[in-house]
Amino acid sequence: MREYIKTYMEKDPAANSALEILLTYPGLHATLVHRFSHFLYKKGLNFVPRVISIIMRFLTGVEIHPGAQIGKRLFIDHGMGIVIGETAEIGDDVTLYHGVTLGGTGKDKGKRHPTVGDNVVISAGAKVLGPIKIGAHSKVGANSVVLKEVPPYSTVVGIPGKIVKINGIRVYDEVEAEKKAIV
């Protein structure tokens, strides 16, 4: 619990106290209750954890399937509209902003949802879909739709998502190439 409070204090400039975080942060509530429902899910219970997740969706606006695997210190800022699918895997120290979906495409069986590496930031409204990997230390831009693998230390933006930086270095950009061709 202390680890989560410390994380929220560090990542949210609006956080004023531990008590405020404990009482008013729906992302924290959803994550903590998910830990309990995930424990039950791993024990082979399916119905009760699903009911718990639906209740938490109603109370917090954050829907986390009890089968999803979540690492340490997940930070959910303004959690409304977040959806995390059953086979999603989230690493440590990940930040999710409101409206993020870690979902499936409807085409896959078995592993259907994304795997998100450590220290990834996924911005507001982004959709990361399918059994793809988002590499550690990467960033996904607001409202991006990511359907392909993203290597570590990358930045991906747009619809469909395109990698614009790797290791802090700007990579070839089709839009800029088109602008140069027109001029």
Side-chain angles (χ1 to χ4, degrees), residues 6-34:
K6 182 179 177 195
T7 297
Y8 275 76
M9 290 295 287
E10 288 173 357
K11 291 189 175 187
D12 187 353
N16 294 309
S17 71
L19 183 61
E20 176 187 27
I21 292 167
L22 281 171
L23 296 177
T24 66
Y25 279 64
L28 176 65
H29 301 150
T31 303
L32 293 175
V33 172
H34 171 267

Side-chain angles (χ1 to χ4, degrees), residues 52-122:
I52 292 169
S53 74
I54 295 305
I55 291 168
M56 288 311 293
R57 180 181 72 180
F58 175 76
L59 294 173
T60 67
V62 177
E63 181 176 347
I64 307 174
H65 191 285
Q69 298 177 44
I70 297 177
K72 298 175 184 172
R73 297 172 300 276
L74 173 64
F75 175 67
I76 296 176
D77 195 21
H78 303 288
M80 187 57 74
I82 287 183
V83 177
I84 301 173
E86 178 182 19
T87 61
E89 299 172 46
I90 300 174
D92 296 338
D93 302 303
V94 169
T95 297
L96 302 178
Y97 289 95
H98 65 280
V100 166
T101 298
L102 301 178
T105 62
K107 300 175 187 175
D108 302 293
K109 304 279 186 221
K111 173 78 168 135
R112 305 179 310 280
H113 303 97
T115 298
V116 178
D118 296 342
N119 297 296
V120 170
V121 174
I122 303 179

Side-chain angles (χ1 to χ4, degrees), residues 114-182:
T115 298
V116 178
D118 296 342
N119 297 296
V120 170
V121 174
I122 303 179
S123 298
K127 310 302 178 216
V128 182
L129 306 174
I132 61 173
K133 292 182 182 173
I134 305 298
H137 304 279
S138 291
K139 297 175 184 171
V140 176
N143 294 315
S144 295
V145 178
V146 183
L147 303 169
K148 295 181 181 176
E149 303 272 325
V150 175
Y153 296 94
S154 297
T155 300
V156 62
V157 298
I159 303 172
K162 292 190 186 333
I163 297 167
V164 295
K165 283 186 182 178
I166 299 176
N167 290 320
I169 299 169
R170 190 157 178 78
V171 295
Y172 182 77
D173 186 339
E174 291 178 31
V175 175
E176 286 188 26
E178 286 178 24
K179 287 179 186 175
K180 288 178 186 176
I182 293 171

Side-chain angles (χ1 to χ4, degrees), residues 29-42:
H29 301 150
T31 303
L32 293 175
V33 172
H34 171 267
R35 297 232 180 264
F36 175 67
S37 66
H38 182 70
F39 170 79
L40 295 176
Y41 186 84
K42 285 175 57 177

